[in-house]
Amino acid sequence: MIKRETYMSRIRPFIGNDLVKVLTGIRRSGKSVMLDLIKEELRASGVDNTQFISINFENMSNAHLCTAAQLHDEILRRASEINGKVYLFFDEIQEVDAWEKCINSFRVELDCDIYITGSNAKLLSGELATYLAGRYVEFVIYPFSFAEFIELYRTVFPDTSVEKCFTKYLTIGGMPYLSNLRYDEAASRQYLQDLYNSVELKDIVKRNRIRDVDMLERIIAYITSNIGTTFSSTAISKYLKSEGRSVSPDTVLNYIKACTDAFLFYQVKRQDLQGKKILTVNEKYYVADHGVREAVFGGNMRDINLVLENVVYMELLRRGYTVTVGKAGEKEIDFVCEKQREKLYVQVCYLLASEETSKREFGAYDSVRDNFPKYVVSLDEFDMSRDGIKHRNIRDFLLSEEWN
């Protein structure tokens, strides 16, 4: 179990206070382990194990607690036997009907500190969430970064070079459980396929009551094949029509929304850097874990340029940036990244193999006149920085603690 300090440093200031700590993210991205890390930290500060109440609602033995009333009564019964503050840990809380009412009631009735996890972005939207409005803080837990991957991979294969680790990372991605399989290729592929099926069936089909599963799978396959490429719902609709399946652009959008709610995909909007406005058409999508893409659909090495983009995009999210695609005249900048008063631009490519490629990648910044850091990242080993634009090897970029 690695410490995942990136997340702990954000969660730590809220430990012990009355805000509900909500951990969201794709299924099996390590949310349950984060709860264990929080418990570890609490124990180190003197909290006794007897003060913890932990329930995983995907465990069948807890099925009888999946309504607000039953959960409420059970927790009050257990809390009455605890001396001092009660620490509540609820895993996959979305399985409990009207859970927000129940959680809010605990805040009022008990001296408690509450941590919950869920695998759906809609967890805190809608009518019931008004019960918790202003009373929670949310943390999205992503699959492993390259730095986290190396740390765990080297516990299994201690002498592996950074280059070999990165090749492995590009193939199998960052799902934490893979270390338990010792990164065996066949076992990892099987695990990631099962994970994909679980996300599709439990978090997309079942939660959204989707009947046309074949249509959903075709849309997922299209987006997965075209990560990092701008397209519209109309383009998908036309493509499916050519495949003999008729579907309206609105239905396509609904299906895509169900996938982003389950954290399978992330939507990236386009921003006109000159007019400083968000464009409403032709977004890009990236997949939460590129290892799932390889296991289910293949082609990561064939589509290396897109996969590298995907890896960089997810790293930007992990570090807390809001990311858009930048449109500067006729040119496009892969990522415009903003966080509080920070801003940086990132252009991603496989190799700067020719002067023409270099001109295209560095030239994307021609009309951007501000002084914020501008990067071109690629797999090249030599520094090709020019005109104030920084060039970085992608491995070094991902492992850098700071970008400035």
Side-chain angles (χ1 to χ4, degrees):
M1 190 163 76
I2 66 170
K3 296 297 182 187
R4 306 205 83 175
E5 184 57 29
T6 305
Y7 302 108
M8 283 307 301
S9 63
R10 292 176 197 160
I11 296 168
R12 201 170 281 122
F14 299 96
I15 290 177
N17 71 26
D18 67 346
L19 289 175
V20 178
K21 275 65 73 179
V22 183
L23 279 57
T24 56
I26 190 169
R27 190 174 286 272
R28 301 188 208 167
S29 59
K31 298 184 295 294
S32 303
V33 170
M34 289 308 305
L35 294 184
D36 290 338
L37 289 169
I38 291 164
K39 287 177 194 171
E40 207 174 81
E41 193 122 332
L42 286 165
R43 283 189 207 100
S45 71
V47 176
D48 194 88
N49 262 337
T50 57
Q51 293 172 258
F52 299 152
I53 299 177
S54 303
I55 300 175
N56 183 339
F57 294 102
E58 288 206 317
N59 186 328
M60 275 301 289
S61 62
N62 295 319
H64 64 292
L65 299 175
C66 285
T67 69
Q70 285 162 312
L71 178 61
H72 175 263
D73 293 348
E74 175 70 9
I75 295 302
L76 288 195
R77 183 187 65 75
R78 291 200 210 174
S80 67
E81 298 167 1
I82 292 172
N83 292 320
K85 198 181 191 80
V86 179
Y87 295 85
L88 301 174
F89 298 90
F90 298 132
D91 219 345
E92 299 298 349
I93 193 76
Q94 74 269 359
E95 302 299 325
V96 179
D97 290 333
W99 64 268
E100 292 96 332
K101 289 182 181 178
C102 189
I103 296 295
N104 197 43
S105 185
F106 296 149
R107 288 183 66 257
V108 176
E109 294 176 81
L110 298 172
D111 175 17
C112 63
D113 188 15
I114 306 173
Y115 301 84
I116 63 178
T117 78
S119 302
N120 197 281
K122 284 200 284 197
L123 196 67
L124 293 160
S125 64
E127 197 179 326
L128 277 173
T130 56
Y131 284 95
L132 289 181
R135 301 186 185 102
Y136 69 86
V137 57
E138 183 181 10
F139 306 93
V140 182
I141 309 299
Y142 301 100
F144 280 164
S145 65
F146 180 44
E148 289 175 317
F149 178 85
I150 285 185
E151 188 181 338
L152 212 52
Y153 192 77
R154 282 180 170 165
T155 63
V156 182
F157 305 105
D159 301 321
T160 313
S161 67
V162 171
E163 292 79 7
K164 283 188 176 172
C165 280
F166 191 60
T167 301
K168 194 72 174 175
Y169 184 62
L170 288 178
T171 311
I172 65 173
M175 280 298 173
Y177 190 79
L178 298 182
S179 65
N180 296 56
L181 305 173
R182 297 185 63 80
Y183 300 100
D184 175 82
E185 205 157 306
S188 296
R189 182 178 292 270
Q190 180 65 53
Y191 172 80
L192 292 169
Q193 286 170 347
D194 290 345
L195 165 60
Y196 167 77
N197 291 333
S198 181
V199 171
E200 183 193 338
L201 291 172
K202 287 186 181 176
D203 299 326
I204 302 174
V205 173
K206 184 180 166 191
R207 185 154 296 282
N208 296 279
R209 296 178 183 155
I210 289 172
R211 291 179 181 173
D212 195 341
V213 177
D214 175 68
M215 181 65 76
L216 172 71
E217 288 179 339
R218 286 168 185 260
I219 290 169
I220 290 174
Y222 183 94
I223 296 172
T224 306
S225 301
N226 291 280
I227 54 166
T229 308
T230 52
F231 55 81
S232 65
S233 56
T234 306
I236 299 181
S237 180
K238 284 179 180 172
Y239 165 76
L240 290 169
K241 194 170 184 182
S242 73
E243 297 273 297
R245 291 300 312 265
S246 187
V247 60
S248 73
D250 282 349
T251 301
V252 170
L253 281 177
N254 289 338
Y255 278 29
I256 293 175
K257 178 74 167 63
C259 293
T260 57
D261 283 343
F263 299 101
L264 180 61
F265 297 125
Y266 288 86
Q267 182 193 70
V268 192
K269 292 191 178 296
R270 293 162 72 235
Q271 178 186 172
D272 184 335
L273 295 176
Q274 288 159 338
K276 300 209 163 123
K277 63 178 181 182
I278 297 294
L279 304 169
T280 54
V281 292
N282 292 3
E283 297 91 357
K284 286 187 178 184
Y285 292 87
Y286 293 96
V287 65
D289 182 72
H290 55 280
V292 172
R293 181 188 195 270
E294 173 65 25
V296 179
F297 301 97
N300 274 12
M301 292 305 155
R302 184 189 63 236
D303 302 328
I304 185 72
N305 216 43
L306 300 180
V307 173
L308 291 176
E309 251 183 64
N310 204 118
V311 168
V312 170
Y313 171 71
M314 292 306 297
E315 183 64 21
L316 292 164
L317 289 192
R318 274 186 208 97
R319 299 198 188 197
Y321 287 96
T322 300
V323 184
T324 54
V325 175
K327 186 176 180 298
E330 295 301 306
K331 296 175 178 174
E332 196 169 87
I333 296 166
D334 289 334
F335 304 123
V336 181
C337 323
E338 298 180 67
K339 177 170 64 174
Q340 290 148 1
R341 293 180 187 177
E342 284 182 53
K343 186 173 185 179
L344 59 94
Y345 301 90
V346 185
Q347 192 71 0
V348 184
C349 72
Y350 173 40
L351 290 169
L352 297 167
S354 65
E355 183 56 28
E356 185 186 339
T357 308
S358 294
K359 274 183 182 172
R360 184 184 70 238
E361 300 299 333
F362 285 91
Y365 296 120
D366 283 349
S367 60
V368 182
R369 301 292 177 211
D370 62 38
N371 293 317
F372 292 110
K374 298 169 185 67
Y375 286 94
V376 172
V377 300
S378 70
L379 275 173
D380 296 281
E381 300 294 338
F382 300 105
D383 187 344
M384 302 188 204
S385 302
R386 58 166 81 171
D387 305 323
I389 300 162
K390 302 171 185 181
H391 171 248
R392 292 285 182 276
N393 174 276
I394 191 166
R395 297 184 302 270
D396 297 339
F397 183 78
L398 294 170
L399 295 174
S400 297
E401 287 189 18
E402 286 185 14
W403 302 320
N404 48 39

